[in-house]
Amino acid sequence: MSPRLALCAIVLLAIVGGAVAIAWGRSGPERPHWEGHGIKPPDKDFPLPEIVSGYWFRTKETQAIQDDDFNNPGFFAVEQGEELWSKPDGAAGKSCASCHQDAATSMKGVGAAMPKWREALHKPVNLEQQINICRTERMQAEPWKFGSAELTAMTTYVRFQSRGMPVRVRIDGPMAPWFERGKQLYHTRNGQLDLACASCHEKNYGRNLRADFLSQGQSNGFPVYRLRDQRLVPLHERMEGCIFDVRGIPYAPLSDEFLALELYLAWRGTGLPVETPAVRN
Amino acid sequence: MKALGCVVGLAAAVVSPAASQAAPPLPPFSVVVKDGVATIPAPLTSEPGDPKAGATVVVDRQLGNCLSCHEIDVLRGEEFHGDVGPPLNGVAKRWDTATLRMIVVNPKKVFGEDTVMPAFYRVDGLNRVRPEFVGKPILTAQQVEDVVAFLAALK
């Protein structure tokens, strides 16, 4: 473990330097070349001319950390999730493995298709919610708190089983109103600065917002490892941050609003490969 | 917004207590439409704007933070100029002072509803504003005047 940690530290330093260097705007050193790295939208009415992973908006140094599984600090969560997978918990004395056996087969593709409709609940659920449903209903264990190391690690581990698979969510049938709600929220301005998700991630990706190089705000890499925070950040925490930063009141993690937004974001990333655990500055 | 929520049966998710935030209005100022463009000819305060103080407001991340979206060559001493909006070099040649004041106060009146530039002197028509900012414009009237004086010198 320790040479790996040392390597991480070195690359981390390189990154911070890199991030400072790219943020100079038009007049400064080169910005990431994200153009041409996108995939084609599924139809001509799609809101984006090409669909580009957040990966291509980060520096070469950050990309290199994500590319190397031995260096990517997000893999600590994958390992932790793997341990928890077969660890019994709760009154039923079961682990995830008791019902789902080998995650590499049973969970393949699951994370690429979330959120999914759950007829019994009459609503869609995302990965975090499904994990907690299994814990409470099948394992008779306490649900893990949003943002806890355990829930984020398990979410990362399960999503990792879909790495490289294209994101594809259903937005038809009972999902349709949730999709419409997500689309509406995406275009609703928030906060004292009066900005919507679309203001930054649809109208202005590929531009600098002071020190930040704006991406399309895609969700295919989540949970992502943030070098600045030195931990994994789940999608709903990232969205909270974006609304907080415009001096708005964020919705609660795992709220219906963020669930609708998560569905809409996944659709905006249709066809992007799952990159969990991605690395961000 | 409420109508849609009810139609799709997500009413509980839609009506939030924070959505309607009554704020006392700002002191009045007059908007004059000149050649089809909204302007504010009269200063918002009796104290004339100070371009030096204006530069500080333009840079400060908690105040104007104009550099997050605009490049301004006279402020090259500062790191990180964004390019979400156009560079502001020579902006006083493109707009007169009355229009610059309108742009800072509420750019939607000049550029249209779709602009992403925030209104720096406005408290109404906003959604889910954090409590500590409710009823407060981003800049005070005096800070607006200082910024306008700074812009008016960018010839």
Side-chain angles (χ1 to χ4, degrees):
Chain A
M1 280 292 153
S2 98
R4 179 163 151 178
L5 269 174
L7 243 151
C8 286
I10 292 166
V11 187
L12 207 119
L13 282 175
I15 281 248
V16 174
V20 169
I22 58 142
W24 263 96
R26 229 176 267 155
S27 51
E30 57 173 325
R31 306 197 248 193
H33 296 294
W34 58 271
E35 290 106 327
H37 288 294
I39 57 171
K40 260 180 72 141
D43 62 72
K44 66 169 176 38
D45 298 325
F46 205 77
L48 299 162
E50 59 172 330
I51 308 177
V52 191
S53 169
Y55 173 88
W56 295 107
F57 291 86
R58 307 284 54 102
T59 60
K60 288 214 161 52
E61 289 83 354
T62 307
Q63 292 178 355
I65 300 179
Q66 178 175 322
D67 290 343
D68 180 354
D69 290 357
F70 290 98
N71 232 338
N72 179 345
F75 272 81
F76 289 119
V78 175
E79 286 160 19
Q80 195 194 347
E82 188 175 9
E83 277 166 32
L84 291 168
W85 180 260
S86 46
K87 194 175 146 212
D89 194 8
K94 288 183 187 162
S95 71
C96 313
S98 318
C99 293
H100 300 292
Q101 289 83 35
D102 184 6
T105 33
S106 65
M107 293 296 126
K108 197 173 162 64
V110 170
M114 286 281 187
K116 264 187 198 163
W117 184 254
R118 282 285 169 266
E119 189 52 45
L121 300 173
H122 280 280
K123 67 189 279 296
V125 296
N126 73 358
L127 207 44
E128 278 104 332
Q129 289 168 324
Q130 182 59 52
I131 290 167
N132 272 335
I133 290 169
C134 287
R135 282 182 61 78
T136 52
E137 293 185 3
R138 303 212 198 169
M139 297 165 67
Q140 291 165 40
E142 287 291 305
W144 279 320
K145 274 211 182 68
F146 178 83
S148 64
E150 289 86 354
L151 185 56
T152 305
M154 186 57 77
T155 306
T156 306
Y157 177 64
V158 173
R159 197 114 197 280
F160 173 69
Q161 309 307 323
S162 302
R163 192 162 68 151
M165 295 177 72
V167 171
R168 188 166 310 278
V169 285
R170 294 199 62 163
I171 59 165
D172 57 344
M175 293 294 265
W178 289 80
F179 174 81
E180 288 305 324
R181 175 80 175 125
K183 180 178 176 182
Q184 181 221 9
L185 287 167
Y186 195 85
H187 294 92
T188 302
R189 293 172 184 252
N190 291 303
Q192 192 192 35
L193 300 193
D194 203 22
L195 294 167
C197 315
S199 313
C200 290
H201 296 300
E202 184 168 310
K203 288 175 100 176
N204 286 300
Y205 64 86
R207 299 203 173 105
N208 280 317
L209 188 72
R210 207 138 187 182
D212 290 311
F213 192 57
L214 288 169
S215 75
Q216 292 183 343
Q218 295 288 0
S219 56
N220 58 312
F222 278 84
V224 303
Y225 187 88
R226 279 196 91 182
L227 297 162
R228 188 183 310 175
D229 301 334
Q230 300 191 31
R231 64 182 175 84
L232 278 128
V233 172
L235 177 62
H236 290 203
E237 182 183 340
R238 174 76 245 193
M239 297 198 285
E240 261 188 305
C242 283
I243 297 184
F244 188 88
D245 286 349
V246 297
R247 301 186 173 178
I249 303 171
Y251 295 99
L254 308 184
S255 62
D256 286 354
E257 287 88 350
F258 272 176
L259 192 62
L261 264 172
E262 177 174 350
L263 177 69
Y264 183 67
L265 288 189
W267 175 79
R268 289 176 72 90
T270 297
L272 284 180
V274 171
E275 290 177 17
T276 309
V279 176
R280 299 290 183 260
N281 46 302
Chain B
M1 179 174 174
K2 282 183 185 166
L4 178 79
C6 296
V7 169
V8 301
L10 296 176
V14 170
V15 185
S16 93
S20 58
Q21 296 168 323
L26 293 169
F29 52 84
S30 8
V31 174
V32 176
V33 179
K34 206 179 83 187
D35 306 329
V37 181
T39 68
I40 305 176
L44 304 178
T45 60
S46 51
E47 180 91 6
D50 169 7
K52 266 219 174 90
T56 309
V57 174
V58 164
V59 170
D60 192 318
R61 285 175 163 78
Q62 302 308 316
L63 295 174
N65 197 15
C66 313
L67 287 184
S68 67
C69 293
H70 295 287
E71 297 177 8
I72 310 176
D73 284 347
V74 297
L75 297 175
R76 273 297 165 203
E78 293 293 326
E79 283 187 319
F80 308 137
H81 295 216
D83 60 356
V84 166
L88 296 185
N89 308 316
V91 78
K93 285 185 283 192
R94 296 191 287 281
W95 305 100
D96 62 17
T97 303
T99 317
L100 288 173
R101 187 177 287 110
M102 184 78 250
I103 292 174
V104 177
V105 165
N106 184 359
K108 289 195 175 74
K109 300 272 192 235
V110 177
F111 304 132
E113 284 297 316
D114 281 349
T115 188
V116 299
M117 178 163 155
F120 286 87
Y121 194 69
R122 179 188 182 182
V123 292
D124 59 331
L126 302 171
N127 178 40
R128 298 184 69 84
V129 178
R130 254 152 64 196
E132 60 268 41
F133 299 112
V134 170
K136 294 179 193 140
I138 303 173
L139 299 180
T140 65
Q142 193 58 50
Q143 287 166 339
V144 170
E145 288 307 318
D146 293 344
V147 169
V148 170
F150 169 82
L151 296 173
L154 295 177
K155 293 229 166 80

